[in-house]
Amino acid sequence: MGLTEKIKQLEKYICEHFEELELDDPVAEGYYSEYEQLEGADEDALRSFEDKFKVVLPEDLKALYRYKNGSG
């Protein structure tokens, strides 16, 4: 299972178990809908990052950033 799928599992777990984690309800508070709207990085942004820092990101990390580029 890749990083993106693991993040999706964490998102689901947090939404279902927020009380046990002593968190606000992310759906009721609107946090989750804001998070869902966050876009992923495009290929140009990933390439620019790699060029700037002279690194090659692992494919699973790139896939994660294509899914969400941060958490807001």
Side-chain angles (χ1 to χ4, degrees), residues 11-43:
E11 293 166 354
K12 182 179 177 185
Y13 183 86
I14 289 170
C15 286
E16 293 173 352
H17 300 277
F18 65 91
E19 290 175 336
E20 296 167 34
L21 299 168
E22 298 182 12
L23 299 171
D24 293 333
D25 181 344
V27 174
E29 296 292 325
Y31 307 140
Y32 192 69
S33 62
E34 290 176 19
Y35 173 76
E36 283 184 306
Q37 293 176 23
L38 293 173
E39 296 182 6
D42 62 20
E43 294 305 314

Side-chain angles (χ1 to χ4, degrees), residues 9 31 35 43 55 63 65 71:
Q9 285 183 336
Y31 307 140
Y35 173 76
E43 294 305 314
V55 298
Y65 275 97
S71 64

Side-chain angles (χ1 to χ4, degrees), residues 44-56:
D44 288 338
L46 292 169
R47 191 172 23 267
S48 176
F49 179 89
E50 289 178 323
D51 291 346
K52 179 177 180 177
F53 293 100
K54 299 184 182 2
V55 298
V56 176

